[in-house]
Amino acid sequence: MTLNSSGFGWISLTTDYGRSDAFAAALHGVIARTAPTVRVIDVTHEVRPGDVTRGAAVLAQTVPYLPESVHVAVVDPGVGTARRAIALGTPSGLLVGPDNGLLMAAADALGGITDAIELTNAAWHGERVSATFHGRDIFAPVASRLSLGAPLSDAGDAVAVGDLVRLPPPIVTRGEGYLEAEVLTVDRFGNVQLAATADDLARLGTHVTVGGMRAVRTTTFGEAPPGSLIVFGDSAGHAAVAINGGRAVVALGLEPGDVIRVATL
Amino acid sequence: MTLNSSGFGWISLTTDYGRSDAFAAALHGVIARTAPTVRVIDVTHEVRPGDVTRGAAVLAQTVPYLPESVHVAVVDPGVGTARRAIALGTPSGLLVGPDNGLLMAAADALGGITDAIELTNAAWHGERVSATFHGRDIFAPVASRLSLGAPLSDAGDAVAVGDLVRLPPPIVTRGEGYLEAEVLTVDRFGNVQLAATADDLARLGTHVTVGGMRAVRTTTFGEAPPGSLIVFGDSAGHAAVAINGGRAVVALGLEPGDVIRVATL
Amino acid sequence: MTLNSSGFGWISLTTDYGRSDAFAAALHGVIARTAPTVRVIDVTHEVRPGDVTRGAAVLAQTVPYLPESVHVAVVDPGVGTARRAIALGTPSGLLVGPDNGLLMAAADALGGITDAIELTNAAWHGERVSATFHGRDIFAPVASRLSLGAPLSDAGDAVAVGDLVRLPPPIVTRGEGYLEAEVLTVDRFGNVQLAATADDLARLGTHVTVGGMRAVRTTTFGEAPPGSLIVFGDSAGHAAVAINGGRAVVALGLEPGDVIRVATL
């Protein structure tokens, strides 16, 4: 992959750092010092602390809409332990972060892994590497160099793709007239996104039950009366549950990781 | 209006998307892919979900301080229904968003509407338009093209300005020695901004009552003793109520939309 | 100091404005209008309202990782009163904000104050200066001019460094086998940062008590069993307390300003 042959490029950041501390700003600063012409898009810094599954989902669903980038993701409860720091090549961008499963769904969304490198080249790291802030001291410095066009293979030693850590796949069961699916994420509006796809949903009837409650399969919020439960294919292509003008997550009493049944009525 | 004759420009974003999901990031990404030289200012993504009135106020009060821009605003509970998607021309910038009243106060602040277009030109939209995320699939793509200098009239069909949706004007009643005004917004510091203006306030005495409580008319927080209630002309030219070192919104027990009386003592 | 001889530069922003209002966006806008080539890094806008001590700490710990910049900081409960507005020169950047102690630790981190100027040159301010929003009307306009290379001495009148307001130094007491230190900040993960340094901690044994609870001195979170209390040198070089997978601030019941004892067991 030739990224930045013109010396211009993008880095995206996905972390659980929040914005009340200046951890995210330190990443911006390190990038600005090393690669001042590169521009940065904050995917989000509000992943729940340590929630690798959530970080993986939000990144994978966003990368298709970002420019070709070096995507840095840091949700890293194992920072400073033996977990590897890695960079992955794909047909349409690079990924940099911990080897804890965080990057894998995004790599799939970008066309699959073409190269995997452990970040063992200490010359690319910050001058002093702390034990607790590898985002600032390893991932951002490495991403900056990559964004300027340095070859991925110079970042360290090759790793076999099969040796990379993967998260367990989310639960989805498809049956005659029903599906059972894990809750993947809940968004700001209280809409509940399932691991099942919009296509899975299309196999069901127009009138369904969701977690035992009656719902209508529709395409958007406003098609149902205010307060009614709807199931629909969301903007990321997933099956989702919402309430027109309300918060489905409250009505259903769910959280990420729970499994819910949607069945034709 | 000639925007970006030099090929450089700005887009501003005002939404209720929050930052814990990556909806705002998707807008940044779509803009970066279509108009990589354009720079983006986030006005806020923390409008309360669906609060069109708040979104309209915060945008209108901010645009005077932004560079000439394409201002995208998305507080859009009717997404995917028959509500129109529009772009508005003004003497000093463009506005893009839903036709639900959100853009109108900002258009006034920018000098009034010179052109109104319904975004019917599907060639300017994303490849696949979801039913629930028009920010990503319609508004950001259209704004990107406009920021690069594409003519507003190419975005779709002209709409009569009189046919655009307007929010009801906020309540302001001016009497002899008093005013009654709707609470427009409450800021992070608990300061309460009224729909009345600083000039309205100047007609009252120095000692007033606000919602039945004694207050002093002053110019800044620190002029009154800690804990005392003050009324003042705020940085947007509105009448406002604050407590030096405290939260007026708590003392007064108000929220946006409530009406409060300020009277000379 | 020659900043921006090439006409390119950076401004950083540290405030207590939050992001639910558009105060931070107004700063971005003012900068974009005056200095459109300059780029902006948001350190944080989530300093607790009026918490000058916290603002000073987060800025000082971040500036070493930012590019050479004009750093604007506004945590300013005395806005509009007689407190001075100032700009400080240092060997590696400029600082702009209120003279209430907010900028001093950052100035130390940048190599010490070489010049101190009161921002009395009204020609550099906004057209209308409000009594309550000097970030928009004074600090951002002044920072924009400085970022474009205008001389610091043109911003106003020189102030003696000894006359600048300083915050009281945080409490740190070092004894035989123990230290007592003020809690400086608590981060998003519930980790408690002390005013003592990592070196102070290194003088103690491996097994210690922290606020009466048993803890282990280690280098990173994952070295201790989940749920155990650890003390460590954090990424800013401070002594800190954490719980592997938990929130030390909750276990210890502390808040910034409290003093805690760490002692060899």
Side-chain angles (χ1 to χ4, degrees):
Chain A
M1 200 199 63
T2 45
L3 190 75
N4 285 319
S5 53
S6 66
F8 180 81
W10 298 87
I11 290 175
S12 87
L13 301 179
T14 304
T15 79
D16 63 354
Y17 292 160
R19 288 309 300 253
S20 53
D21 303 296
F23 304 132
L27 269 58
H28 278 263
V30 166
I31 294 165
R33 291 164 69 108
T34 308
T37 58
V38 169
R39 288 165 68 194
V40 180
I41 292 179
D42 295 293
V43 172
T44 181
H45 297 287
E46 306 295 339
V47 175
R48 193 170 50 177
D51 189 344
V52 178
T53 302
R54 166 64 178 160
V58 74
L59 180 61
Q61 293 180 24
T62 307
V63 290
Y65 298 95
L66 299 181
E68 191 163 281
S69 303
V70 182
H71 304 285
V72 177
V74 197
V75 181
D76 191 14
V79 60
T81 65
R83 73 95 185 89
R84 288 188 287 215
I86 56 172
L88 305 178
T90 80
S92 42
L94 299 173
L95 293 151
V96 176
D99 178 26
N100 62 7
L102 178 65
L103 309 178
M104 302 303 270
D108 291 346
L110 291 169
I113 300 171
T114 55
D115 301 276
I117 303 288
E118 184 175 1
L119 304 180
T120 47
N121 180 1
W124 281 24
H125 303 173
E127 282 178 44
R128 294 175 61 247
V129 175
S130 68
T132 54
F133 195 2
H134 286 188
R136 181 191 71 192
D137 300 334
I138 296 178
F139 300 129
V142 166
S144 299
R145 289 187 182 242
L146 292 172
S147 74
L148 291 173
L152 178 56
S153 54
D154 288 2
D157 301 313
V159 179
V161 173
D163 287 348
L164 298 171
V165 174
R166 284 190 173 271
L167 298 169
I171 294 163
V172 184
T173 309
R174 298 165 181 89
E176 189 60 48
Y178 75 92
L179 63 87
E180 291 179 348
E182 190 173 323
V183 173
L184 210 54
T185 72
V186 177
D187 74 16
R188 184 185 201 216
F189 304 93
N191 302 334
V192 175
Q193 182 185 62
L194 307 181
T197 67
D199 289 344
D200 291 331
L201 212 56
R203 295 183 306 102
L204 304 182
T206 302
H207 295 272
V208 296
T209 58
V210 179
M213 300 174 69
R214 281 166 181 263
V216 179
R217 188 159 59 80
T218 180
T219 59
T220 196
F221 314 119
E223 282 176 41
S228 26
L229 204 63
I230 62 167
V231 295
F232 66 107
D234 76 5
S235 63
H238 281 271
V241 191
I243 289 177
N244 182 15
R247 296 181 64 80
V249 65
V250 175
L252 294 169
L254 287 170
E255 59 182 60
D258 289 348
V259 172
I260 190 167
R261 182 183 178 98
V262 186
T264 302
L265 195 64
Chain B
M1 199 200 63
T2 45
L3 191 75
N4 285 321
S5 53
S6 66
F8 179 81
W10 297 87
I11 290 175
S12 87
L13 302 178
T14 304
T15 78
D16 63 354
Y17 291 160
R19 288 309 302 252
S20 52
D21 304 297
F23 303 132
L27 268 58
H28 279 263
V30 166
I31 294 165
R33 291 165 68 107
T34 308
T37 58
V38 170
R39 287 165 67 194
V40 180
I41 292 178
D42 295 293
V43 173
T44 182
H45 297 287
E46 306 295 340
V47 175
R48 194 171 50 176
D51 189 344
V52 177
T53 302
R54 166 64 177 159
V58 74
L59 180 61
Q61 293 180 25
T62 308
V63 289
Y65 298 95
L66 299 181
E68 192 164 281
S69 304
V70 182
H71 304 286
V72 177
V74 198
V75 182
D76 192 13
V79 61
T81 65
R83 73 95 185 89
R84 289 187 286 215
I86 56 172
L88 306 177
T90 79
S92 43
L94 300 173
L95 292 151
V96 176
D99 179 24
N100 62 6
L102 178 65
L103 310 177
M104 302 301 269
D108 291 345
L110 292 169
I113 300 172
T114 55
D115 301 275
I117 303 287
E118 184 176 0
L119 305 179
T120 48
N121 179 1
W124 281 23
H125 302 172
E127 281 176 44
R128 296 175 59 248
V129 174
S130 68
T132 54
F133 195 2
H134 286 188
R136 181 191 69 191
D137 299 334
I138 296 179
F139 300 129
V142 166
S144 299
R145 289 187 182 242
L146 293 171
S147 74
L148 292 173
L152 178 56
S153 54
D154 287 2
D157 301 312
V159 178
V161 173
D163 289 347
L164 297 171
V165 174
R166 283 189 173 273
L167 298 170
I171 294 162
V172 183
T173 308
R174 297 165 182 91
E176 189 62 45
Y178 75 91
L179 63 87
E180 291 179 348
E182 190 173 323
V183 173
L184 210 55
T185 72
V186 177
D187 73 15
R188 182 183 203 217
F189 304 92
N191 302 333
V192 174
Q193 183 185 63
L194 306 181
T197 66
D199 290 343
D200 291 331
L201 212 56
R203 294 183 308 102
L204 304 182
T206 302
H207 295 272
V208 296
T209 59
V210 179
M213 300 174 70
R214 283 167 180 260
V216 179
R217 187 159 60 78
T218 181
T219 59
T220 196
F221 314 120
E223 282 177 40
S228 25
L229 204 62
I230 63 168
V231 295
F232 67 107
D234 76 5
S235 64
H238 281 270
V241 191
I243 288 178
N244 182 16
R247 297 182 63 80
V249 66
V250 175
L252 294 168
L254 288 170
E255 60 181 58
D258 289 347
V259 173
I260 189 167
R261 182 184 179 96
V262 186
T264 302
L265 195 65
Chain C
M1 200 198 63
T2 44
L3 191 74
N4 285 320
S5 52
S6 66
F8 179 81
W10 297 87
I11 290 175
S12 86
L13 301 178
T14 305
T15 78
D16 63 354
Y17 291 160
R19 288 310 299 253
S20 53
D21 304 296
F23 303 132
L27 268 58
H28 279 262
V30 166
I31 294 165
R33 292 165 69 108
T34 308
T37 57
V38 169
R39 288 165 67 194
V40 180
I41 292 178
D42 295 292
V43 173
T44 181
H45 297 287
E46 306 295 339
V47 175
R48 193 171 52 177
D51 189 344
V52 178
T53 302
R54 165 65 178 159
V58 73
L59 180 60
Q61 293 180 24
T62 307
V63 290
Y65 298 95
L66 300 181
E68 191 163 283
S69 302
V70 182
H71 304 286
V72 177
V74 198
V75 181
D76 191 14
V79 62
T81 64
R83 72 96 186 88
R84 289 186 288 214
I86 56 171
L88 305 178
T90 80
S92 42
L94 299 173
L95 293 151
V96 176
D99 179 25
N100 63 7
L102 177 65
L103 309 178
M104 303 303 270
D108 291 345
L110 292 168
I113 301 172
T114 55
D115 301 275
I117 302 288
E118 184 175 0
L119 305 179
T120 47
N121 180 1
W124 280 23
H125 303 172
E127 281 178 44
R128 296 175 60 247
V129 174
S130 67
T132 54
F133 195 2
H134 286 188
R136 181 191 70 191
D137 300 334
I138 296 178
F139 300 129
V142 166
S144 299
R145 289 187 180 242
L146 292 172
S147 73
L148 292 172
L152 177 56
S153 54
D154 287 2
D157 301 313
V159 179
V161 172
D163 288 347
L164 298 171
V165 174
R166 283 189 175 272
L167 298 170
I171 294 162
V172 183
T173 308
R174 298 165 181 90
E176 189 61 46
Y178 75 92
L179 63 87
E180 291 180 348
E182 191 174 323
V183 173
L184 210 54
T185 73
V186 177
D187 74 16
R188 183 183 203 217
F189 304 93
N191 302 334
V192 175
Q193 183 185 62
L194 307 182
T197 66
D199 289 343
D200 291 330
L201 212 55
R203 294 183 308 102
L204 303 182
T206 301
H207 296 273
V208 296
T209 59
V210 179
M213 300 175 69
R214 282 166 181 261
V216 179
R217 187 160 59 79
T218 180
T219 60
T220 196
F221 313 120
E223 282 177 41
S228 25
L229 204 63
I230 62 167
V231 295
F232 65 107
D234 76 6
S235 64
H238 280 270
V241 191
I243 289 178
N244 182 16
R247 296 181 65 79
V249 66
V250 175
L252 294 168
L254 287 170
E255 61 181 60
D258 288 347
V259 173
I260 190 168
R261 181 184 180 98
V262 185
T264 302
L265 195 64

